[in-house]
Amino acid sequence: MAAQKSAHAAFCVKEAEETLAQLRTALEKAGITLPSLGLDPVGLAREAPCPLIELGRCSVETAARLAAVLR
């Protein structure tokens, strides 16, 4: 059972890292950089990691460009 939990946790972290890379690439193609973009360390510190992607803070200009792209 512990091996299954460990494998599942590793899969979740890998999936989060891949999704983060895809998001970063898509944002870069749109000319947007989120300086604090990364995995939330609190979610990774749990016994059974539950990764969250931290979008972080950005300038007003970057937020406006992001909103324009999403419209």
Side-chain angles (χ1 to χ4, degrees):
M1 184 72 152
Q4 285 179 330
K5 284 185 180 181
S6 179
H8 178 73
F11 171 79
C12 289
V13 172
K14 182 176 186 224
E15 181 180 42
E17 289 171 340
E18 290 171 356
T19 301
L20 176 63
Q22 292 170 7
L23 177 58
R24 183 174 278 122
T25 298
L27 289 168
E28 286 174 358
K29 286 182 181 178
I32 297 170
T33 300
L34 296 177
S36 302
L37 184 64
L39 294 181
D40 176 45
V42 175
L44 295 173
R46 295 176 50 181
E47 183 179 330
C50 180
L52 297 173
I53 295 176
E54 177 68 49
L55 299 178
R57 302 180 325 183
C58 65
S59 69
V60 173
E61 178 187 348
T62 299
R65 288 188 7 231
L66 183 57
V69 168
L70 293 173
R71 281 190 210 118

